[in-house]
């Protein structure tokens, strides 16, 4: 299966991206639809201060008067904007964006991966920003000192005000620019609220406090943006795992060249200890490869000729040569990262609730601030000056920053943590919904079982026959057939002993029954129960033995000569090593497992018993599986479905959460599913449910923290002695608390409860 097609549809329709600073809730809900696919030929710019939906909305509004722009593509997680327009209009658009308070900078050509130098530049900007904010804080402290210790004389006041003004300018120039633009457009985002509050405090004579407020706000904002970047870039960090160069076979010998220059079909060589630079298929050599970055497996996987290798994985033991099957920017690793980035665009139910709540909360508190400044002096002994100051404090509290940012950073952290373990969740809605599952339907073949028939037992039926001779005859006949059962028998016999196949004369396939041929002048058949019955070679004792194997879910093949049946070979699709543990984990989580399969009922029940499943349903067509899912939803409630075949797609789409196996799965199954398990390990379903529960818990912890702190300072601002810098400190402190609490999911143990090993993902 072509691995390049696997993630074509693992993306979600992008809504607003998560906030990295403080969003206007109205902007989150009303901005124009985001164009997910960057237009071909568009010019891409990085806007380092654009990391919130409200800022995207401001830029869109600023560009609306310009006619001729064909399209805009915002990627808030990468802080990029692609403008599809003629060159002269692009320049005009840039000028408008700069007037709005943003600084767009051109980046590398479209389609290239971010370079390390870009990341280094971002680190440099962060370091220089911290230096500037620390300088502003020192000046703010100096202004406080002048106000507190200096004589109450005009020269000292002028000096203190000048120092405070410099501190405000140093820390808050960007805030003022964006705040002024927001006020002009009637928007109450954090920049507008801070602009009004700081300016009002300065005019009321609270210039030391105004300087301290702006300095604290700017420092906390910078730290918060850095912390949120950690969540957003957690999965992107995997890109650094793939080397920049590859050793490629050329006419003149092996040559080291950049991976971006390596063509499809080229032969690449990797030595022990090196990382795989590109996706490919092994053409020479044997080795073991650590595939943890792609599939989440902790145990290295053996690789031989014909096996797939993935960029970013680690070659551990032997030298390998492989043929390149995907370009550097289209590798499995790059497509996983793209899939997770797209998934970050879908908002979880809790996030949508928070957006709606914040949309009401901000104007209500703003109205309360107006009521305080107007009514308090009339109804109480509070002076107009004191009432105005309280109103300014309320303006700071009115910002729903901690509340709005609490959900996206948590969801992004959960998505990144899952992806690092080989679990691709297609959106925040699925990450949060998985916790509600009460039952899960499991396809048998390829999900619970290996999906490959194996010889599990063979025995002599004729006790007088020579065992070694029977093995040789069976191996010779089976080796000449391409039927899966015959291949399983041949492979099993080769693995058990050293007997060699001999030539078969007159070999022929008996359609629907088996094969026949002559060995050393003696005629033999190797076939199913029906063939032996037709030959009149069945007996009551043999029928009893056959019944025992068939009830155990095995496919039985019989070897017979003209004299009678010589041996019986039992083939079965064996249960994965991980399946029993996975079923136990699901039951421990209160999730009821149900097996759905197209195989006969006897086989289904036999395998279900081995796996620990009580409810097994066989003889199901695709429409029957769909009906079964609907029945389970009525009976249990929220129901998941795990499968890997085309026949599973309708049931996957019907289920509340669909899990597709990424190793053996088909394209259509992966498209229909909501979650893709890259290494086909059924235990990852339980891991997903645990992660969903942890994510939901952290989401509501963050909401409680944000609202609780706001409520305390709301009361203190009206009836107590809360100051503006205290309100800013509490507001930004709450934001940092929810950010770092959300980041805990990157180190969650939810995904580590099951064993980390599992079958290799052979294709994506």
């Amino acid at each position: 299966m072509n691995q390049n097609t696997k993630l074509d549809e693992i993306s979600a329709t992008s809504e607003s991206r998560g906030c990295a600073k403080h969003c206007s809730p109205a902007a989150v809900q009303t901005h124009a639809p985001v164009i997910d696919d960057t237009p071909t030929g568009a010019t891409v710019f990085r806007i380092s201060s654009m990391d919130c939906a409200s800022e995207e909305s401001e830029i869109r509004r600023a560009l609306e008067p310009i006619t001729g722009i064909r399209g805009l593509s915002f990627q808030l997680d990468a802080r990029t904007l692609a403008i599809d327009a003629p060159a002269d209009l692009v320049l005009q658009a840039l000028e408008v964006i700069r007037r709005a308070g943003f600084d767009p900078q051109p980046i590398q050509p479209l389609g290239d991966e971010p370079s390390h130098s870009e990341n280094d530049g971002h680190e440099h900007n962060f370091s220089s920003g911290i230096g500037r904010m620390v300088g502003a804080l020192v000046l703010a402290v100096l202004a406080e000192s002048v106000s507190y210790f200096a004589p109450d004389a005009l020269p000292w006041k002028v000096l203190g005000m000048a120092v405070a003004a410099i501190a405000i300018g140093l820390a808050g120039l960007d805030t003022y620019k964006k705040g002024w633009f927001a006020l002009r457009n009637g928007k109450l985002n954090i920049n507008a609220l801070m602009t009004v509050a700081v300016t009002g405090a300065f005019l009321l004579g609270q210039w030391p406090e105004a300087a301290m407020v702006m300095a604290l706000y700017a420092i906390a904002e910078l730290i918060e943006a850095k912390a949120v970047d950690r969540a957003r870039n957690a999965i992107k960090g995997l890109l650094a795992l793939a080397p920049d160069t590859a050793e490629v076979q050329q006419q003149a010998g092996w040559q080291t060249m950049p991976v971006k220059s390596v063509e499809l079909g080229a032969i690449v060589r990797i030595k022990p200890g090196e990382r795989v630079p590109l996706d490919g298929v092994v053409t020479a050599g044997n080795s073991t490869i650590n595939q943890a970055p792609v599939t989440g497996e902790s145990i290295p996987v053996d690789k031989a000729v014909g096996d797939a290798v993935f960029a970013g994985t680690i070659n551990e033991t032997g030298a390998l040569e492989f043929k390149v099957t995907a370009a550097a920017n289209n590798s499995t690793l790059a497509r996983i990262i793209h899939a997770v980035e797209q998934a970050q665009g879908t908002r979880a139910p809790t996030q949508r609730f928070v957006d709606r709540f914040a949309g009401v909360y901000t104007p209500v508190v703003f109205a309360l601030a107006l009521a305080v400044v107007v009514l308090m002096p009339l109804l109480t002994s509070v002076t107009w000056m004191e009432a105005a100051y309280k109103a300014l404090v309320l303006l700071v509290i009115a910002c729903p920053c901690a509340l709005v940012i609490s959900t996206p950073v948590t969801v992004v952290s959960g998505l990144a943590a899952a992806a690092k373990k080989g679990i691709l969740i297609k959106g925040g809605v699925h990450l949060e919904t998985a916790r509600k599952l009460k039952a899960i339907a499991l396809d048998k073949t390829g999900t619970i079982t290996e999906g490959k028939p194996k010889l599990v037992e063979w025995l002599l039926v004729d006790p007088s026959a020579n065992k070694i001779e029977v093995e040789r005859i069976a191996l010779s006949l089976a080796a000449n057939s391409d039927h899966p059962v015959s291949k399983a028998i041949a492979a099993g016999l080769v693995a058990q002993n050293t007997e060699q196949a001999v030539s078969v004369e007159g070999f022929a396939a008996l359609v629907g029954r088996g094969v026949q041929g002559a060995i050393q002048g003696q005629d033999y058949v190797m076939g199913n129960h029906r063939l032996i019955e037709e030959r009149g070679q069945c007996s009551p004792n043999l029928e009893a033995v056959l019944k025992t194997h068939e009830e155990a879910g095995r496919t039985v093949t019989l070897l017979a000569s003209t004299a009678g049946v010589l041996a019986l070979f039992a083939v079965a699709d064996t249960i994965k090593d991980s399946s029993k543990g996975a079923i136990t984990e699901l039951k421990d989580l209160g999730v009821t497992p149900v097996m759905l399969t197209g195989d006969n009922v006897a086989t289904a029940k036999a395998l279900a018993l081995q796996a620990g499943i009580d409810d097994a349903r066989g003889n199901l067509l695709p429409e029957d599986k769909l009906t079964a899912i609907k029945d389970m939803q009525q009976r249990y409630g929220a129901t998941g479905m795990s499968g890997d075949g085309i026949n599973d797609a309708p049931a996957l789409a019907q289920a509340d959460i669909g899990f597709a196996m990424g190793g053996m799965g088909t394209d259509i199954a992966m498209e229909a599913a909501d979650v893709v398990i890259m290494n086909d390990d059924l235990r990852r379903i339980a891991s997903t449910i645990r992660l969903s529960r942890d994510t939901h818990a952290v989401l509501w912890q963050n909401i409680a923290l944000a609202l609780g702190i706001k409520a305390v300072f709301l009361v203190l601002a009206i009836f107590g002695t809360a100051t503006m810098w205290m309100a800013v400190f509490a507001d930004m402190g709450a934001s940092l608390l929810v950010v770092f609490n959300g980041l805990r999911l990157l180190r969650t143990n939810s995904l580590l409860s099951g064993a980390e090993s599992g079958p290799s993902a052979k294709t994506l």
Side-chain angles (χ1 to χ4, degrees):
M1 189 175 298
N2 187 347
Q3 65 190 32
N4 293 339
T5 64
K6 278 293 189 179
L7 283 176
D8 284 343
E9 300 299 332
I10 304 181
S11 61
T13 302
S14 178
E15 301 173 41
S16 60
R17 310 289 177 181
C19 297
K21 291 191 292 187
H22 313 289
C23 307
S24 164
V28 173
Q29 300 176 57
T30 62
H31 66 76
V34 175
I35 303 172
D36 286 332
D37 297 322
T38 305
T40 302
T43 309
V44 186
F45 299 90
R46 177 179 172 83
I47 306 177
S48 59
S49 58
M50 181 195 71
D51 46 21
C52 176
S54 67
E55 290 160 339
E56 175 190 328
S57 180
E58 291 170 18
I59 294 174
R60 283 187 183 276
R61 189 177 292 106
L63 295 178
E64 279 177 1
I66 303 177
T67 58
I69 294 180
R70 293 184 290 267
L72 300 173
S73 176
F74 289 85
Q75 294 291 337
L76 295 181
D77 49 5
R79 295 191 178 97
T80 61
L81 165 61
I83 303 176
D84 183 17
D88 58 332
L89 292 183
V90 171
L91 294 176
Q92 184 180 345
L94 293 180
E95 183 59 32
V96 170
I97 293 171
R98 291 189 181 101
R99 286 203 302 268
F102 300 93
D103 183 25
Q105 296 294 328
I107 60 174
Q108 78 285 340
L110 184 63
D112 288 356
E113 299 295 344
S115 65
H116 296 297
S117 60
E118 273 188 69
N119 295 333
D120 294 341
H122 188 58
E123 294 292 337
H124 174 73
N125 292 338
F126 175 77
S127 300
S128 62
I130 282 290
R132 184 160 51 88
M133 295 310 127
V134 169
L137 182 62
V138 170
L139 290 175
V141 171
L142 180 59
E144 288 275 11
S145 300
V146 170
S147 174
Y148 188 80
F149 294 107
D152 188 15
L154 184 62
W156 287 104
K157 285 186 177 182
V158 172
L159 175 62
M161 292 177 68
V163 171
I166 295 172
I168 292 171
L170 195 60
L173 190 58
D174 289 340
T175 300
Y176 264 96
K177 286 181 180 178
K178 289 185 283 189
W180 171 243
F181 186 83
L183 288 171
R184 278 172 47 196
N185 288 278
K187 294 185 63 64
L188 297 177
N189 62 13
I190 182 59
N191 297 304
L193 295 174
M194 285 299 300
T195 297
V196 172
V198 170
T199 303
F202 198 95
L203 295 177
L204 289 175
Q206 302 293 330
W207 39 267
E209 193 165 341
M212 185 64 71
V213 162
M214 188 60 81
L216 288 174
Y217 167 74
I219 290 175
E221 182 185 54
L222 195 62
I223 295 172
E224 180 187 321
K226 177 66 175 178
V228 173
D229 277 344
R230 179 185 170 194
R232 286 176 173 164
N233 295 329
I235 189 64
K236 287 184 180 179
L238 292 176
L239 273 179
L241 296 177
D244 296 326
T245 60
E247 192 175 6
V248 184
Q249 189 178 48
Q250 303 288 312
Q251 290 183 351
W254 294 95
Q255 178 181 344
T256 300
M257 57 192 302
V259 293
K260 295 179 182 179
S261 303
V262 179
E263 297 180 352
L264 296 180
I267 302 299
V268 174
R269 180 172 67 182
I270 49 174
K271 300 172 183 176
E274 293 181 344
R275 289 187 181 272
V276 180
L278 295 154
D279 283 6
V281 175
V282 177
T283 57
N286 293 275
S287 184
T288 57
I289 288 186
N290 182 345
Q291 297 191 148
V294 173
T295 67
E297 298 162 282
S298 61
I299 296 178
V301 178
D302 292 334
K303 296 291 181 180
V305 175
D307 289 335
V309 293
F310 306 114
T313 56
I314 306 167
N315 182 30
E316 296 198 339
T317 55
L320 288 177
E321 294 178 16
F322 65 89
K323 182 171 68 175
V324 176
T325 57
N329 62 356
N330 198 37
S331 68
T332 298
L333 188 61
R335 293 165 75 81
I336 288 173
I337 294 165
H338 176 70
V340 177
E341 287 174 343
Q342 294 298 313
Q344 292 173 12
T346 60
R347 291 182 297 175
T350 303
Q351 188 173 352
R352 292 195 294 268
F353 161 76
V354 166
D355 289 341
R356 291 193 299 269
F357 179 84
V360 175
Y361 166 83
T362 303
V364 166
V365 178
F366 192 80
L368 182 61
L370 291 177
V372 166
V373 76
V374 173
L375 299 178
M376 256 195 157
L378 298 176
L379 302 177
T380 69
S381 60
V382 173
T383 65
W384 289 99
M385 190 75 72
E386 291 172 337
Y389 181 78
K390 287 180 180 290
L392 293 177
V393 174
L394 283 173
L395 285 183
V396 176
I397 296 175
C399 172
C401 45
L403 184 63
V404 171
I405 201 174
S406 65
T407 48
V409 71
T410 303
V411 169
V412 169
S413 296
L415 292 172
K420 286 186 173 182
K421 291 300 178 182
I423 303 171
L424 296 187
I425 303 174
K426 295 186 185 179
V429 61
H430 308 307
L431 173 62
E432 192 172 347
T433 303
R435 70 184 176 84
K436 301 177 181 178
L437 292 180
K438 301 299 182 184
I440 184 159
L442 304 170
D443 176 52
K444 179 182 72 70
T445 306
T447 301
I448 296 176
T449 66
E450 296 285 358
K452 300 175 182 177
K454 290 183 179 180
L455 179 63
V456 293
E457 184 180 354
W458 83 271
L459 54 90
L460 287 174
V461 175
D462 182 355
S464 64
N466 183 292
K467 181 179 179 181
I468 295 177
E469 185 64 23
V470 168
E471 285 180 344
R472 183 180 292 112
I473 295 169
L475 175 60
S476 302
L477 289 170
N480 278 275
S481 173
D482 60 0
H483 192 279
V485 173
S486 295
K487 288 183 175 180
I489 293 173
L493 291 174
V494 168
Q496 290 177 16
N497 53 70
T498 59
E499 296 301 323
Q500 299 295 317
V502 296
S503 62
V504 179
E505 298 176 357
F507 179 86
L510 304 173
V511 179
R513 289 166 176 77
V515 297
Q516 67 180 12
I519 299 175
Q520 296 177 345
Q522 177 69 45
D523 291 332
Y524 297 95
V525 296
M526 195 170 184
N528 56 24
H529 189 177
R530 178 190 300 176
L531 176 62
I532 300 303
E533 282 185 337
E534 290 175 352
R535 289 168 60 91
Q537 293 179 313
C538 267
S539 66
N541 289 338
L542 180 59
E543 291 283 0
V545 174
L546 289 173
K547 183 178 180 182
T548 301
H549 285 285
E550 289 170 352
E551 287 179 347
R554 297 172 175 179
T555 299
V556 179
T557 300
L558 300 161
L559 174 65
S561 66
T562 54
V565 177
L566 300 174
L568 176 151
F569 299 86
V571 170
D573 185 5
T574 56
I575 290 180
K576 294 178 183 178
D577 293 337
S578 61
S579 292
K580 291 182 181 179
I583 299 304
T584 300
E585 288 185 39
L586 288 170
K587 288 182 175 180
D588 290 343
L589 290 170
V591 178
T592 302
V594 178
M595 178 191 287
L596 305 181
T597 179
D599 279 353
N600 62 74
V601 175
T603 298
K605 289 185 176 179
L607 286 170
L609 183 63
Q610 294 179 45
I613 299 175
D614 301 322
D615 187 354
R617 308 180 189 184
N619 294 323
L620 300 181
L621 297 173
E623 54 268 29
D624 297 324
K625 290 186 177 182
L626 178 62
T627 302
I629 294 295
K630 293 179 179 178
D631 173 67
M632 291 173 63
Q633 289 171 327
Q634 289 288 329
R635 180 177 176 184
Y636 297 107
T639 298
M641 167 67 186
S642 175
D644 65 347
I646 293 175
N647 61 332
D648 297 322
L652 286 169
Q654 172 64 33
D656 295 276
I657 297 285
F659 296 86
M661 298 294 122
M664 297 182 64
T666 60
D667 290 343
I668 192 168
M670 294 182 68
E671 178 181 344
D674 305 304
V675 179
V676 179
I677 309 297
M678 293 300 299
N679 71 341
D680 291 356
D681 190 338
L682 206 57
R683 289 170 296 191
R684 299 299 168 89
I685 296 178
S687 297
T688 304
I689 295 172
R690 282 192 296 267
L691 177 64
S692 176
R693 294 179 181 181
D694 283 356
T695 301
H696 183 75
V698 171
L699 282 171
W700 284 99
Q701 287 170 13
N702 283 346
I703 291 172
L705 275 172
L707 291 179
I709 292 173
K710 291 283 186 183
V712 169
F713 276 84
L714 191 67
V715 173
L716 288 176
I718 298 176
F719 303 106
T721 57
T723 61
M724 189 182 300
W725 74 265
M726 289 170 61
V728 169
F729 190 79
D731 179 74
M732 298 308 300
S735 296
L736 292 174
L737 277 176
V738 299
V739 166
F740 288 119
N741 192 38
L743 289 176
R744 288 192 303 115
L745 288 173
L746 291 174
R747 301 185 300 275
T748 182
N749 291 324
S750 299
L751 300 173
L752 303 178
S753 297
E756 289 300 313
S757 61
S760 169
K762 293 186 177 179
T763 182
L764 183 58

